[in-house]
Amino acid sequence: MEIKSIKKLKLYGFNNLTKTLSFNMYDICYAKTVEDRKGYIEYIDEQYNAERLTNILTNVANIIGANILNIAKQDYDPQGASVTILVSEGHVDPTDTSANNEAPGPLPDAVVAHLDKSHITVHTYPEYHPDEGISTFRADIDVSTCGHISPLKALNYLIHSFDSDIMTIDYRVRGFTRDVSGKKYFIDHKINSIQNYIAGDTRDRYHMIDVNVYQENIFHTKMLLKEFDLDNYLFGITKKELLPGEKKKIKQRLKKEMAEIFYGRNIPKV
């Protein structure tokens, strides 16, 4: 359906709306031995170290048109990394309305629009199950903006940057801004679903569930990858090296882990 933008508002002062995108992703695999599990953690720590995460968040800042004020980054011992970027607003083109269009945002190339009093953060959490061989990598990214631009513009890029098994996405608009007559506005753009900001070919690859509270400007989307090839979930071994019974048991463990994360609850053994 066609989504109509809110007519451009003439505001009294600064746009005080705070828009926050929380992007939570999980990558799941099976590592048979203790050595492989430790190797998986080392691999994840190298793939998603503070330097690479800084590059990803810098691209996010470019997509939403932010001026970077400060970068703090840290690799942790024994594992994990964090990055925080403080950003500020630049000149806003008053004729540009692309920030509020309910459509997938770009990969990092052309950039317009800006923000203020805002930040972008990422924290990573690699871990493994001590007995079952299941290893999980989680990354939490928050993009919080104040003013004209919505961080949803960066969502398409974030999804492509991590290409994860499971994603949980939350978007919330808080506070209010006033027009010149003093009327409060608690949101300054139309939104039906976070899914409308995700490219169609990506949506086709995932099972998706929405939970939206429109009257509170709270939007929630969960994504679970449809395709399951066991080789894509094994670390340090291939499915050719496994016996049929092993393959079945490992597949069950992986799918149970993914279902528990997706639905947010433990699933009892049958």
Side-chain angles (χ1 to χ4, degrees):
M1 63 180 293
E2 181 183 357
I3 305 299
K4 294 182 179 180
S5 300
I6 292 177
K7 186 178 179 180
K8 185 165 181 62
L9 301 174
K10 292 184 179 181
L11 299 181
Y12 178 80
F14 182 70
N15 187 333
N16 291 310
L17 290 169
T18 299
K19 304 164 187 175
T20 301
L21 173 68
S22 294
F23 177 81
N24 177 226
M25 56 75 63
Y26 294 86
D27 208 47
I28 317 297
C29 87
Y30 175 84
K32 187 173 184 179
T33 67
V34 173
E35 290 75 18
D36 284 341
R37 293 167 203 165
K38 291 179 179 178
Y40 171 76
I41 298 296
E42 291 172 1
Y43 166 77
I44 287 296
D45 261 3
E46 179 60 30
Q47 284 293 107
Y48 295 101
N49 58 40
E51 188 65 32
R52 185 186 175 203
L53 292 171
T54 299
N55 290 336
I56 291 173
L57 296 198
T58 299
N59 285 335
V60 169
N62 289 335
I63 288 171
I64 60 179
N67 296 321
I68 294 176
L69 297 177
N70 182 68
I71 299 175
K73 56 186 177 181
Q74 181 67 51
D75 288 302
Y76 295 107
D77 185 14
Q79 70 245 356
S82 294
V83 179
T84 298
I85 298 181
L86 298 181
V87 290
S88 69
E89 183 180 39
H91 172 69
V92 178
D93 180 358
T95 65
D96 174 46
T97 59
S98 63
N100 292 332
N101 291 339
E102 194 170 13
L107 298 181
D109 42 29
V111 175
V112 288
H114 304 270
L115 67 162
D116 192 15
K117 300 178 183 175
S118 309
H119 65 268
I120 309 169
T121 65
V122 60
H123 305 282
T124 67
Y125 306 89
E127 62 91 35
Y128 63 84
H129 191 289
D131 302 316
E132 299 293 324
I134 299 295
S135 299
T136 305
F137 168 61
R138 176 177 129 230
D140 295 339
I141 296 177
D142 288 301
V143 185
S144 187
T145 69
C146 189
H148 170 70
I149 188 69
S150 168
L152 286 166
K153 191 175 183 183
L155 180 57
N156 204 38
Y157 169 74
L158 286 172
I159 290 172
H160 280 78
S161 295
F162 290 93
D163 197 24
S164 308
D165 300 315
I166 302 164
M167 287 174 275
T168 302
I169 306 162
D170 293 285
Y171 178 66
R172 182 172 184 181
V173 182
R174 292 173 293 177
F176 63 87
T177 192
R178 294 181 187 270
D179 66 14
V180 290
S181 69
K183 180 181 178 181
K184 296 184 185 73
Y185 286 84
F186 295 91
I187 192 167
D188 62 354
H189 64 95
K190 297 284 189 182
I191 173 171
N192 282 358
S193 170
I194 292 172
Q195 294 191 35
N196 293 332
Y197 293 86
I198 301 171
D201 58 344
T202 302
R203 294 199 305 268
D204 290 342
R205 295 174 55 221
Y206 287 85
H207 298 290
M208 306 182 76
I209 294 176
D210 267 13
V211 180
N212 300 318
V213 186
Y214 294 104
Q215 64 271 29
E216 299 293 338
N217 298 319
I218 297 172
F219 306 88
H220 175 77
T221 296
K222 295 193 291 189
M223 305 170 63
L224 174 65
L225 194 64
K226 293 177 182 177
E227 183 181 349
F228 188 94
D229 181 345
L230 185 57
D231 264 336
N232 293 335
Y233 293 88
L234 298 176
F235 187 87
I237 197 172
T238 66
K239 62 184 179 184
K240 291 182 179 179
E241 302 172 65
L242 298 171
L243 298 172
E246 285 183 301
K247 285 189 281 190
K248 181 179 179 181
K249 185 178 292 185
I250 292 168
K251 187 175 180 179
Q252 288 174 339
R253 288 178 184 172
L254 287 165
K255 290 206 166 187
K256 182 175 182 287
E257 179 80 359
M258 293 168 71
E260 288 183 339
I261 293 171
F262 184 67
Y263 291 108
R265 59 178 179 269
N266 291 311
I267 298 173
K269 294 182 179 179
V270 179

